Structure formats: structure tokens, C-alpha cells
Amino acid sequence: MTVRIGMIGPGGMGRAHIERIRTVIASGEVVAVSDIDPGNAQRVAEGIGAKVFASSAELIASDAVDAVMICSYGPAHRDDVLAAIRAGKPVFCEKPLAPTASECLEILQAEQEAGRRLVTVGFMRRFDPSYRQLKAIVDSGEIGEPLIMHSRHRNPTVPERYTWDMAINDTGIHDIDTMRWLLGEEIASVRVDKPKRTRHRFPHLQDPLVLILSSASGVWIDVEIFVNNQHAYDIQCEVVSESGTVRLSDQQLVERTGAIGRSHLLTMDHNERFGAAFVTEVQEWISAVARGEHTGSTSWDGYAAACVCDAAVRALTDDGPIAVDLIEQPAFYS
Ligand code: ISE
């Protein structure tokens, strides 16, 4: 079966997914496109022979669409995710599921009413081979219980339109999801520490910043977010456990040696660093849709990450630690 996909909001991320689906991913085809910019929808659709829809609502309702990918900007997600759930169609939504925890709650409610898991949130690190190997070691129990975790999320640069809260809602949200996923438990509280600011780039940003998270069982986690480091897309993670540690190693396949020493290249953006993860993520989603199953992170994961982000954004201005306010997890998601 070929899953007929409707793509909403094909910006950089959406176009990269389309390219993957067209070239390396099996059993899926993007047959429909909509965008708030009709010119963009037209251009993208023409390139792949897809149909253009004037609105996302019409695309979701179309009989020609089996499943929906939402790659538009965060504030537009809620309405389209709800429409897809009500149409009974599987939906892959890029992060954030929705910008606020209360909008995510509406999604949880609608999905439970629909009676089956339809929503997958695009937390691609869960599909990265090195993170998967790290999690397998943590889960094996061979090095004991995790006690401390260090996460580093560095970008070479961000555009000026990157607002003050985006270090948390757009960038740190990945680390928040990864920490929950690695530990298999929720984050209970968050504090934000503000180091000396870089002189590079924008005065409206606290850059870098450090989230100090505490998990439900008391694991201490620091997440460094530095989005104008001027040199690389640099992702690091280390888990310190009772009788050993495990961390991601360098991601490059080759090392070069010459007159100035030994070196390897660094990745410069998320598509380069997580290219393989994106392919696995989208392939697993399409294959699961074809089987009538669910895969990847759930609406609950999108909601829990939003709750931690809400607390972290508060902690940017209020003294921490701020408690993370979560509803009890419905059995539907356990
Ligand atoms: C972007 O949206 C991502 O998801 C990247 O992984 C992250 O590094 C970047 O800061 C975000 O803007």
C-alpha cells in the first residue's frame, strides 16, 4: 500500500521531508500540499505533481489524503491536528505539538475521544542511531541507575526573528523530550541559570542559558542551550550512572590527519546531524500508518514537553525552581 500524504506548511523542514519521501523512503507519496503562502504551495506541489489545496482544512478532509504531515509554524498546529483527529487520519506533527500545554490538552482529549492513537510528534532524536544505542545501554541496567545527565545543544547561529523564549520552546524542547525518553520518567521541576552572555548576535537573547531539571526520581540534569556559538551544530549527551557513564561520541565517520594535526568536520545544522534520524522517523511513521498502527512519540509526549517548556519560560523571569504542572497520565497513553 502507498500511503497518500497531505503536507501542510512545507517550509525548510517540510520540503526536506518531501525530498526524503520522494527519494529514499518506501510506501509513501506526498499527493497534496497547502500553505498559508499559496505561491509556496503551488511551487512545491508543481515540483512533485501534487494537488494544491486552498486551505489545510480542505486538504485534511480530502478523500485523496490518507495521512497528514504538519510542518507549519507552531501556532497553526492545534487546529490542524484536531481536524486530522476528527477526520480519523494519522497525523505527523513537527514540534511543538502546540505552543501551550492547554492547547496540547485539547489534543489529548480529542484523541482519546477518537479511541485510537493518531498523533505522532516529530522528536527525531528518538530515531538517531547513537541516541538509540545510548538508551539501550541505560535501559539494560548494566551501569546501574542514572544519577546525573548532561545535555548540550549548540547552534552556529539563529536568525534575528528568533525570539527570547525560543531557546526553550524551539531549541531546548528537543533536550527536554530526550531526557524524558532516556529516563522513562517525567521532569518535576526546572530552573534557568544565566551565564555571561555572548557578545555575538542579538541583545534580546539570553545566550547561552542553562536549564537545570530535576526528574521525578531526583536525577539532576543540566541542559546547555547556546544558539550562536559561531562554529557548529554540536549535540552532546552524557548519562552518569551508579557504576559507569555513557555518552554520545563524535558523529563523523572519518578523521583527517595532516600537517596541522588530526581533525574531523563538524555538522552545521540539524538536517546534517540528524539526517539519518529523520529518514528512520518518517519511514517508521509511514510503515506504521500502512499497517494501521501508531509509532513514535505520542500527544502525551508533546503535552509533557510543553509543560516543562512552560515552566522553563517562567523560570527565565522568576526565581526557580519552578514545579512542572502535569495532569495524571491517562491510561490511554501508558
Ligand atoms: C530547530 O527548529 C530545530 O529543531 C533544531 O534541531 C534546533 O537545533 C534549532 O535550534 C531549532 O531552531
Short mmCIF file of all heavy atoms in Angstrom, two decimals, residues 61-130:
data_model
loop_
_atom_site.label_atom_id
_atom_site.label_comp_id
_atom_site.label_asym_id
_atom_site.label_seq_id
_atom_site.Cartn_x
_atom_site.Cartn_y
_atom_site.Cartn_z
N ALA A 61 -9.64 17.11 4.84
CA ALA A 61 -10.93 16.47 4.57
C ALA A 61 -10.92 15.65 3.28
O ALA A 61 -11.79 14.79 3.07
CB ALA A 61 -12.03 17.53 4.49
N SER A 62 -9.94 15.88 2.42
CA SER A 62 -9.98 15.24 1.08
C SER A 62 -9.88 13.71 1.14
O SER A 62 -9.04 13.16 1.87
CB SER A 62 -8.82 15.78 0.24
OG SER A 62 -8.66 14.97 -0.90
N ASP A 63 -10.69 13.05 0.32
CA ASP A 63 -10.64 11.59 0.22
C ASP A 63 -9.33 11.10 -0.41
O ASP A 63 -9.00 9.92 -0.32
CB ASP A 63 -11.80 11.07 -0.64
CG ASP A 63 -13.10 11.15 0.13
OD1 ASP A 63 -13.05 11.25 1.37
OD2 ASP A 63 -14.17 11.14 -0.53
N ALA A 64 -8.63 12.02 -1.07
CA ALA A 64 -7.36 11.63 -1.73
C ALA A 64 -6.21 11.57 -0.73
O ALA A 64 -5.09 11.18 -1.08
CB ALA A 64 -7.03 12.64 -2.83
N VAL A 65 -6.46 11.95 0.53
CA VAL A 65 -5.39 12.01 1.54
C VAL A 65 -5.64 10.97 2.63
O VAL A 65 -6.69 10.96 3.27
CB VAL A 65 -5.33 13.45 2.15
CG1 VAL A 65 -4.45 13.49 3.37
CG2 VAL A 65 -4.85 14.45 1.10
N ASP A 66 -4.65 10.08 2.84
CA ASP A 66 -4.78 9.05 3.90
C ASP A 66 -4.23 9.55 5.23
O ASP A 66 -4.67 9.12 6.29
CB ASP A 66 -3.96 7.79 3.55
CG ASP A 66 -4.37 7.18 2.23
OD1 ASP A 66 -5.59 7.08 1.98
OD2 ASP A 66 -3.46 6.80 1.44
N ALA A 67 -3.16 10.38 5.17
CA ALA A 67 -2.46 10.77 6.40
C ALA A 67 -1.87 12.16 6.18
O ALA A 67 -1.63 12.57 5.04
CB ALA A 67 -1.35 9.78 6.70
N VAL A 68 -1.63 12.87 7.29
CA VAL A 68 -1.27 14.28 7.19
C VAL A 68 0.07 14.54 7.87
O VAL A 68 0.35 14.01 8.95
CB VAL A 68 -2.37 15.12 7.90
CG1 VAL A 68 -2.03 16.60 7.85
CG2 VAL A 68 -3.73 14.86 7.27
N MET A 69 0.91 15.36 7.21
CA MET A 69 2.15 15.84 7.87
C MET A 69 2.01 17.34 8.08
O MET A 69 1.74 18.08 7.12
CB MET A 69 3.37 15.58 7.00
CG MET A 69 3.76 14.13 6.93
SD MET A 69 5.36 13.92 6.08
CE MET A 69 6.47 13.83 7.46
N ILE A 70 2.24 17.79 9.31
CA ILE A 70 2.11 19.22 9.62
C ILE A 70 3.51 19.79 9.90
O ILE A 70 4.16 19.42 10.87
CB ILE A 70 1.20 19.43 10.84
CG1 ILE A 70 -0.20 18.88 10.54
CG2 ILE A 70 1.15 20.91 11.21
CD1 ILE A 70 -1.17 18.99 11.69
N CYS A 71 3.95 20.67 9.00
CA CYS A 71 5.28 21.26 9.14
C CYS A 71 5.18 22.79 9.17
O CYS A 71 6.16 23.49 8.92
CB CYS A 71 6.18 20.81 7.99
SG CYS A 71 6.40 19.02 7.96
N SER A 72 3.99 23.29 9.45
CA SER A 72 3.77 24.73 9.51
C SER A 72 4.33 25.26 10.83
O SER A 72 4.88 24.51 11.64
CB SER A 72 2.26 25.01 9.44
OG SER A 72 1.60 24.21 10.42
N TYR A 73 4.16 26.57 11.09
CA TYR A 73 4.71 27.09 12.35
C TYR A 73 3.79 26.72 13.52
O TYR A 73 2.58 26.50 13.36
CB TYR A 73 5.02 28.58 12.22
CG TYR A 73 3.87 29.54 12.39
CD1 TYR A 73 4.02 30.67 13.19
CD2 TYR A 73 2.64 29.32 11.77
CE1 TYR A 73 2.98 31.57 13.36
CE2 TYR A 73 1.60 30.21 11.95
CZ TYR A 73 1.77 31.32 12.74
OH TYR A 73 0.75 32.20 12.94
N GLY A 74 4.41 26.64 14.71
CA GLY A 74 3.74 26.10 15.90
C GLY A 74 2.32 26.59 16.17
O GLY A 74 1.42 25.78 16.42
N PRO A 75 2.08 27.92 16.13
CA PRO A 75 0.74 28.40 16.48
C PRO A 75 -0.37 27.86 15.57
O PRO A 75 -1.54 27.88 15.94
CB PRO A 75 0.86 29.93 16.34
CG PRO A 75 2.31 30.20 16.59
CD PRO A 75 3.05 29.02 16.02
N ALA A 76 -0.01 27.35 14.39
CA ALA A 76 -1.04 26.81 13.48
C ALA A 76 -1.32 25.33 13.74
O ALA A 76 -2.25 24.75 13.15
CB ALA A 76 -0.59 27.01 12.03
N HIS A 77 -0.54 24.68 14.60
CA HIS A 77 -0.64 23.22 14.72
C HIS A 77 -1.96 22.72 15.30
O HIS A 77 -2.54 21.77 14.81
CB HIS A 77 0.52 22.68 15.59
CG HIS A 77 1.85 22.76 14.90
ND1 HIS A 77 3.01 22.31 15.48
CD2 HIS A 77 2.21 23.24 13.68
CE1 HIS A 77 4.03 22.52 14.65
NE2 HIS A 77 3.57 23.09 13.56
N ARG A 78 -2.40 23.38 16.39
CA ARG A 78 -3.55 22.85 17.15
C ARG A 78 -4.76 22.58 16.24
O ARG A 78 -5.31 21.47 16.25
CB ARG A 78 -3.92 23.86 18.23
CG ARG A 78 -5.23 23.56 18.92
CD ARG A 78 -5.56 24.70 19.87
NE ARG A 78 -6.96 24.72 20.20
CZ ARG A 78 -7.89 25.35 19.51
NH1 ARG A 78 -7.59 26.00 18.38
NH2 ARG A 78 -9.14 25.33 19.91
N ASP A 79 -5.18 23.57 15.47
CA ASP A 79 -6.40 23.42 14.67
C ASP A 79 -6.26 22.28 13.67
O ASP A 79 -7.19 21.50 13.46
CB ASP A 79 -6.71 24.71 13.90
CG ASP A 79 -7.21 25.80 14.84
OD1 ASP A 79 -7.40 25.50 16.04
OD2 ASP A 79 -7.38 26.94 14.38
N ASP A 80 -5.08 22.17 13.05
CA ASP A 80 -4.90 21.13 12.03
C ASP A 80 -4.79 19.74 12.65
O ASP A 80 -5.31 18.76 12.10
CB ASP A 80 -3.67 21.44 11.16
CG ASP A 80 -3.92 22.64 10.24
OD1 ASP A 80 -5.11 22.96 10.00
OD2 ASP A 80 -2.94 23.26 9.79
N VAL A 81 -4.13 19.65 13.80
CA VAL A 81 -4.05 18.34 14.47
C VAL A 81 -5.47 17.90 14.88
O VAL A 81 -5.87 16.75 14.65
CB VAL A 81 -3.12 18.39 15.70
CG1 VAL A 81 -3.18 17.07 16.48
CG2 VAL A 81 -1.68 18.66 15.27
N LEU A 82 -6.24 18.84 15.44
CA LEU A 82 -7.62 18.49 15.85
C LEU A 82 -8.45 18.07 14.65
O LEU A 82 -9.21 17.09 14.71
CB LEU A 82 -8.28 19.68 16.57
CG LEU A 82 -7.76 19.97 17.98
CD1 LEU A 82 -8.38 21.26 18.53
CD2 LEU A 82 -8.04 18.81 18.93
N ALA A 83 -8.30 18.78 13.53
CA ALA A 83 -9.08 18.44 12.32
C ALA A 83 -8.70 17.05 11.83
O ALA A 83 -9.56 16.25 11.43
CB ALA A 83 -8.85 19.48 11.23
N ALA A 84 -7.40 16.72 11.86
CA ALA A 84 -6.97 15.39 11.40
C ALA A 84 -7.54 14.31 12.32
O ALA A 84 -8.03 13.27 11.85
CB ALA A 84 -5.44 15.32 11.36
N ILE A 85 -7.50 14.55 13.63
CA ILE A 85 -8.05 13.56 14.57
C ILE A 85 -9.53 13.35 14.28
O ILE A 85 -10.03 12.22 14.20
CB ILE A 85 -7.85 14.03 16.03
CG1 ILE A 85 -6.35 14.03 16.40
CG2 ILE A 85 -8.64 13.16 17.00
CD1 ILE A 85 -6.04 14.66 17.75
N ARG A 86 -10.24 14.46 14.09
CA ARG A 86 -11.70 14.34 13.86
C ARG A 86 -12.01 13.66 12.54
O ARG A 86 -13.04 13.01 12.39
CB ARG A 86 -12.37 15.71 13.97
CG ARG A 86 -12.35 16.13 15.44
CD ARG A 86 -12.94 17.48 15.74
NE ARG A 86 -12.74 17.75 17.17
CZ ARG A 86 -12.34 18.90 17.69
NH1 ARG A 86 -12.09 19.93 16.90
NH2 ARG A 86 -12.18 19.02 18.99
N ALA A 87 -11.07 13.76 11.58
CA ALA A 87 -11.27 13.06 10.30
C ALA A 87 -10.79 11.61 10.40
O ALA A 87 -10.84 10.86 9.42
CB ALA A 87 -10.50 13.79 9.20
N GLY A 88 -10.25 11.22 11.57
CA GLY A 88 -9.77 9.83 11.77
C GLY A 88 -8.50 9.54 10.99
O GLY A 88 -8.22 8.39 10.65
N LYS A 89 -7.68 10.60 10.71
CA LYS A 89 -6.48 10.38 9.90
C LYS A 89 -5.20 10.49 10.75
O LYS A 89 -5.07 11.42 11.54
CB LYS A 89 -6.41 11.41 8.76
CG LYS A 89 -7.57 11.23 7.80
CD LYS A 89 -7.45 12.07 6.55
CE LYS A 89 -8.68 11.82 5.69
NZ LYS A 89 -8.69 12.61 4.46
N PRO A 90 -4.26 9.56 10.56
CA PRO A 90 -2.98 9.67 11.27
C PRO A 90 -2.30 10.99 10.91
O PRO A 90 -2.34 11.42 9.75
CB PRO A 90 -2.17 8.49 10.74
CG PRO A 90 -3.17 7.54 10.18
CD PRO A 90 -4.31 8.38 9.70
N VAL A 91 -1.66 11.60 11.91
CA VAL A 91 -1.04 12.90 11.66
C VAL A 91 0.34 12.93 12.30
O VAL A 91 0.51 12.58 13.47
CB VAL A 91 -1.96 14.05 12.15
CG1 VAL A 91 -2.41 13.87 13.58
CG2 VAL A 91 -1.29 15.40 11.99
N PHE A 92 1.31 13.32 11.50
CA PHE A 92 2.68 13.53 11.98
C PHE A 92 2.84 15.03 12.12
O PHE A 92 2.73 15.77 11.14
CB PHE A 92 3.68 12.98 10.95
CG PHE A 92 5.11 13.23 11.29
CD1 PHE A 92 5.87 12.25 11.90
CD2 PHE A 92 5.71 14.46 11.01
CE1 PHE A 92 7.20 12.48 12.23
CE2 PHE A 92 7.04 14.70 11.34
CZ PHE A 92 7.79 13.70 11.95
N CYS A 93 3.11 15.51 13.35
CA CYS A 93 3.20 16.95 13.58
C CYS A 93 4.61 17.29 14.05
O CYS A 93 5.09 16.73 15.03
CB CYS A 93 2.17 17.35 14.63
SG CYS A 93 2.17 19.12 14.98
N GLU A 94 5.26 18.21 13.34
CA GLU A 94 6.57 18.66 13.80
C GLU A 94 6.42 19.33 15.16
O GLU A 94 5.35 19.82 15.51
CB GLU A 94 7.17 19.65 12.79
CG GLU A 94 7.91 18.97 11.65
CD GLU A 94 9.06 18.07 12.13
OE1 GLU A 94 9.53 18.24 13.27
OE2 GLU A 94 9.48 17.19 11.37
N LYS A 95 7.49 19.35 15.94
CA LYS A 95 7.42 20.00 17.25
C LYS A 95 7.30 21.51 17.06
O LYS A 95 7.81 22.02 16.06
CB LYS A 95 8.60 19.63 18.14
CG LYS A 95 10.00 19.95 17.56
CD LYS A 95 10.44 21.37 17.80
CE LYS A 95 11.58 21.81 16.96
NZ LYS A 95 11.92 23.19 16.97
N PRO A 96 6.65 22.23 17.99
CA PRO A 96 5.93 21.71 19.15
C PRO A 96 4.57 21.17 18.70
O PRO A 96 4.02 21.62 17.69
CB PRO A 96 5.73 22.96 20.01
CG PRO A 96 5.58 24.07 19.01
CD PRO A 96 6.51 23.71 17.87
N LEU A 97 4.02 20.21 19.48
CA LEU A 97 2.68 19.74 19.15
C LEU A 97 1.74 20.95 19.10
O LEU A 97 0.93 21.08 18.18
CB LEU A 97 2.23 18.73 20.23
CG LEU A 97 0.80 18.23 20.12
CD1 LEU A 97 0.53 17.57 18.78
CD2 LEU A 97 0.49 17.26 21.26
N ALA A 98 1.84 21.80 20.09
CA ALA A 98 1.16 23.11 20.11
C ALA A 98 1.96 23.97 21.08
O ALA A 98 2.64 23.45 21.96
CB ALA A 98 -0.28 22.96 20.55
N PRO A 99 1.88 25.29 20.94
CA PRO A 99 2.75 26.14 21.76
C PRO A 99 2.45 26.14 23.25
O PRO A 99 3.33 26.41 24.05
CB PRO A 99 2.53 27.55 21.18
CG PRO A 99 1.93 27.35 19.84
CD PRO A 99 1.19 26.05 19.89
N THR A 100 1.21 25.82 23.65
CA THR A 100 0.93 25.84 25.09
C THR A 100 0.41 24.48 25.56
O THR A 100 -0.19 23.72 24.79
CB THR A 100 -0.14 26.90 25.45
OG1 THR A 100 -1.36 26.51 24.80
CG2 THR A 100 0.26 28.29 25.00
N ALA A 101 0.60 24.24 26.86
CA ALA A 101 0.14 22.97 27.43
C ALA A 101 -1.38 22.86 27.32
O ALA A 101 -1.92 21.77 27.09
CB ALA A 101 0.59 22.88 28.88
N SER A 102 -2.09 23.98 27.45
CA SER A 102 -3.56 23.87 27.41
C SER A 102 -4.04 23.47 26.01
O SER A 102 -4.99 22.70 25.87
CB SER A 102 -4.24 25.14 27.92
OG SER A 102 -3.89 26.21 27.10
N GLU A 103 -3.40 23.95 24.97
CA GLU A 103 -3.77 23.50 23.61
C GLU A 103 -3.45 22.01 23.44
O GLU A 103 -4.22 21.27 22.81
CB GLU A 103 -3.03 24.31 22.55
CG GLU A 103 -3.47 25.75 22.43
CD GLU A 103 -2.51 26.55 21.57
OE1 GLU A 103 -1.35 26.76 22.00
OE2 GLU A 103 -2.89 26.93 20.46
N CYS A 104 -2.32 21.58 24.00
CA CYS A 104 -1.97 20.15 23.91
C CYS A 104 -3.02 19.30 24.63
O CYS A 104 -3.36 18.20 24.18
CB CYS A 104 -0.59 19.89 24.51
SG CYS A 104 0.76 20.63 23.60
N LEU A 105 -3.55 19.82 25.74
CA LEU A 105 -4.58 19.08 26.48
C LEU A 105 -5.83 18.86 25.62
O LEU A 105 -6.45 17.79 25.67
CB LEU A 105 -4.99 19.86 27.73
CG LEU A 105 -4.20 19.58 29.00
CD1 LEU A 105 -4.70 20.47 30.13
CD2 LEU A 105 -4.30 18.10 29.40
N GLU A 106 -6.19 19.87 24.83
CA GLU A 106 -7.35 19.71 23.93
C GLU A 106 -7.10 18.56 22.96
O GLU A 106 -7.99 17.79 22.62
CB GLU A 106 -7.56 20.98 23.10
CG GLU A 106 -8.16 22.14 23.85
CD GLU A 106 -8.33 23.31 22.89
OE1 GLU A 106 -9.12 23.19 21.94
OE2 GLU A 106 -7.64 24.34 23.08
N ILE A 107 -5.85 18.47 22.51
CA ILE A 107 -5.48 17.40 21.56
C ILE A 107 -5.58 16.03 22.24
O ILE A 107 -6.13 15.08 21.69
CB ILE A 107 -4.08 17.67 20.96
CG1 ILE A 107 -4.15 18.91 20.06
CG2 ILE A 107 -3.57 16.46 20.20
CD1 ILE A 107 -2.80 19.44 19.59
N LEU A 108 -5.07 15.96 23.48
CA LEU A 108 -5.16 14.69 24.23
C LEU A 108 -6.61 14.25 24.36
O LEU A 108 -6.95 13.08 24.18
CB LEU A 108 -4.60 14.85 25.66
CG LEU A 108 -3.11 15.11 25.86
CD1 LEU A 108 -2.78 15.12 27.35
CD2 LEU A 108 -2.27 14.07 25.18
N GLN A 109 -7.45 15.23 24.68
CA GLN A 109 -8.88 14.94 24.87
C GLN A 109 -9.50 14.41 23.58
O GLN A 109 -10.18 13.37 23.57
CB GLN A 109 -9.56 16.26 25.30
CG GLN A 109 -10.97 16.12 25.82
CD GLN A 109 -11.02 15.20 27.03
OE1 GLN A 109 -10.16 15.30 27.91
NE2 GLN A 109 -11.98 14.27 27.04
N ALA A 110 -9.24 15.11 22.48
CA ALA A 110 -9.85 14.73 21.19
C ALA A 110 -9.37 13.35 20.76
O ALA A 110 -10.14 12.53 20.23
CB ALA A 110 -9.49 15.76 20.13
N GLU A 111 -8.09 13.06 20.98
CA GLU A 111 -7.54 11.78 20.55
C GLU A 111 -8.14 10.63 21.37
O GLU A 111 -8.46 9.56 20.82
CB GLU A 111 -6.02 11.81 20.69
CG GLU A 111 -5.33 10.70 19.91
CD GLU A 111 -3.81 10.78 20.04
OE1 GLU A 111 -3.32 11.23 21.09
OE2 GLU A 111 -3.11 10.39 19.09
N GLN A 112 -8.33 10.88 22.65
CA GLN A 112 -8.95 9.82 23.48
C GLN A 112 -10.39 9.59 23.04
O GLN A 112 -10.85 8.45 23.01
CB GLN A 112 -8.88 10.20 24.96
CG GLN A 112 -7.45 10.12 25.49
CD GLN A 112 -7.33 10.68 26.89
OE1 GLN A 112 -7.64 10.01 27.86
NE2 GLN A 112 -6.91 11.93 26.98
N GLU A 113 -11.08 10.68 22.68
CA GLU A 113 -12.46 10.52 22.19
C GLU A 113 -12.48 9.72 20.88
O GLU A 113 -13.38 8.93 20.64
CB GLU A 113 -13.12 11.90 21.98
CG GLU A 113 -13.61 12.49 23.30
CD GLU A 113 -13.88 13.99 23.19
OE1 GLU A 113 -14.05 14.50 22.06
OE2 GLU A 113 -13.88 14.64 24.25
N ALA A 114 -11.44 9.94 20.06
CA ALA A 114 -11.37 9.19 18.79
C ALA A 114 -11.11 7.71 19.05
O ALA A 114 -11.36 6.86 18.19
CB ALA A 114 -10.28 9.77 17.89
N GLY A 115 -10.54 7.39 20.22
CA GLY A 115 -10.39 5.99 20.62
C GLY A 115 -9.15 5.29 20.10
O GLY A 115 -8.94 4.12 20.39
N ARG A 116 -8.29 6.00 19.35
CA ARG A 116 -7.01 5.38 18.96
C ARG A 116 -5.94 6.45 18.77
O ARG A 116 -6.26 7.61 18.48
CB ARG A 116 -7.14 4.51 17.72
CG ARG A 116 -7.40 5.24 16.44
CD ARG A 116 -7.64 4.24 15.30
NE ARG A 116 -7.94 4.91 14.05
CZ ARG A 116 -7.12 4.95 13.02
NH1 ARG A 116 -5.95 4.36 13.07
NH2 ARG A 116 -7.46 5.58 11.91
N ARG A 117 -4.69 6.01 18.94
CA ARG A 117 -3.59 6.97 18.82
C ARG A 117 -3.40 7.34 17.35
O ARG A 117 -3.10 6.47 16.53
CB ARG A 117 -2.30 6.35 19.35
CG ARG A 117 -2.31 6.16 20.84
CD ARG A 117 -0.96 5.66 21.26
NE ARG A 117 -0.97 5.30 22.67
CZ ARG A 117 0.11 4.91 23.34
NH1 ARG A 117 1.27 4.81 22.71
NH2 ARG A 117 0.04 4.60 24.61
N LEU A 118 -3.57 8.60 17.06
CA LEU A 118 -3.43 9.07 15.68
C LEU A 118 -2.26 10.04 15.51
O LEU A 118 -1.81 10.30 14.40
CB LEU A 118 -4.72 9.78 15.24
CG LEU A 118 -5.93 8.86 15.04
CD1 LEU A 118 -7.22 9.68 15.01
CD2 LEU A 118 -5.78 8.06 13.74
N VAL A 119 -1.77 10.59 16.63
CA VAL A 119 -0.80 11.70 16.55
C VAL A 119 0.62 11.23 16.86
O VAL A 119 0.86 10.58 17.89
CB VAL A 119 -1.19 12.82 17.54
CG1 VAL A 119 -0.23 14.00 17.43
CG2 VAL A 119 -2.63 13.27 17.33
N THR A 120 1.55 11.59 15.99
CA THR A 120 2.98 11.36 16.23
C THR A 120 3.67 12.72 16.21
O THR A 120 3.44 13.53 15.30
CB THR A 120 3.57 10.48 15.11
OG1 THR A 120 2.96 9.19 15.19
CG2 THR A 120 5.08 10.33 15.24
N VAL A 121 4.50 12.99 17.22
CA VAL A 121 5.19 14.29 17.28
C VAL A 121 6.64 14.11 16.81
O VAL A 121 7.29 13.11 17.15
CB VAL A 121 5.16 14.86 18.72
CG1 VAL A 121 5.81 16.24 18.75
CG2 VAL A 121 3.72 14.95 19.22
N GLY A 122 7.11 15.06 16.02
CA GLY A 122 8.42 14.93 15.38
C GLY A 122 9.62 15.18 16.28
O GLY A 122 10.36 16.14 16.07
N PHE A 123 9.80 14.31 17.26
CA PHE A 123 11.01 14.38 18.08
C PHE A 123 12.02 13.39 17.50
O PHE A 123 12.06 12.21 17.87
CB PHE A 123 10.70 14.04 19.54
CG PHE A 123 9.93 15.12 20.27
CD1 PHE A 123 8.76 14.84 20.95
CD2 PHE A 123 10.40 16.44 20.28
CE1 PHE A 123 8.06 15.84 21.63
CE2 PHE A 123 9.71 17.44 20.96
CZ PHE A 123 8.54 17.13 21.64
N MET A 124 12.82 13.88 16.54
CA MET A 124 13.62 12.98 15.72
C MET A 124 14.79 12.31 16.45
O MET A 124 15.29 11.28 16.01
CB MET A 124 14.13 13.71 14.47
CG MET A 124 15.31 14.63 14.65
SD MET A 124 14.91 16.02 15.74
CE MET A 124 16.30 17.09 15.52
N ARG A 125 15.22 12.89 17.58
CA ARG A 125 16.39 12.28 18.25
C ARG A 125 16.09 10.85 18.68
O ARG A 125 17.01 10.04 18.83
CB ARG A 125 16.77 13.10 19.47
CG ARG A 125 17.36 14.43 19.11
CD ARG A 125 17.85 15.10 20.36
NE ARG A 125 18.31 16.43 20.09
CZ ARG A 125 18.85 17.22 21.00
NH1 ARG A 125 19.01 16.78 22.23
NH2 ARG A 125 19.25 18.42 20.68
N ARG A 126 14.82 10.53 18.92
CA ARG A 126 14.46 9.17 19.33
C ARG A 126 14.80 8.15 18.25
O ARG A 126 14.75 6.95 18.49
CB ARG A 126 12.96 9.10 19.63
CG ARG A 126 12.53 9.93 20.83
CD ARG A 126 11.03 9.86 21.00
NE ARG A 126 10.58 10.60 22.17
CZ ARG A 126 9.71 10.14 23.06
NH1 ARG A 126 9.16 8.96 22.89
NH2 ARG A 126 9.34 10.87 24.09
N PHE A 127 15.08 8.63 17.02
CA PHE A 127 15.36 7.73 15.90
C PHE A 127 16.83 7.77 15.49
O PHE A 127 17.23 7.13 14.54
CB PHE A 127 14.47 8.10 14.70
CG PHE A 127 13.01 7.98 15.04
CD1 PHE A 127 12.33 9.01 15.65
CD2 PHE A 127 12.34 6.79 14.79
CE1 PHE A 127 11.00 8.88 16.00
CE2 PHE A 127 11.01 6.64 15.14
CZ PHE A 127 10.33 7.70 15.75
N ASP A 128 17.62 8.55 16.21
CA ASP A 128 19.04 8.69 15.89
C ASP A 128 19.77 7.44 16.39
O ASP A 128 19.59 7.03 17.55
CB ASP A 128 19.58 9.94 16.59
CG ASP A 128 21.07 10.09 16.40
OD1 ASP A 128 21.49 10.38 15.28
OD2 ASP A 128 21.82 9.90 17.39
N PRO A 129 20.61 6.81 15.54
CA PRO A 129 21.26 5.56 15.96
C PRO A 129 22.09 5.72 17.24
O PRO A 129 22.10 4.82 18.08
CB PRO A 129 22.17 5.19 14.78
CG PRO A 129 21.77 6.06 13.65
CD PRO A 129 20.94 7.20 14.17
N SER A 130 22.78 6.86 17.40
CA SER A 130 23.64 6.98 18.59
C SER A 130 22.80 7.18 19.86
O SER A 130 23.09 6.58 20.90
CB SER A 130 24.67 8.10 18.42
OG SER A 130 24.03 9.32 18.16
#
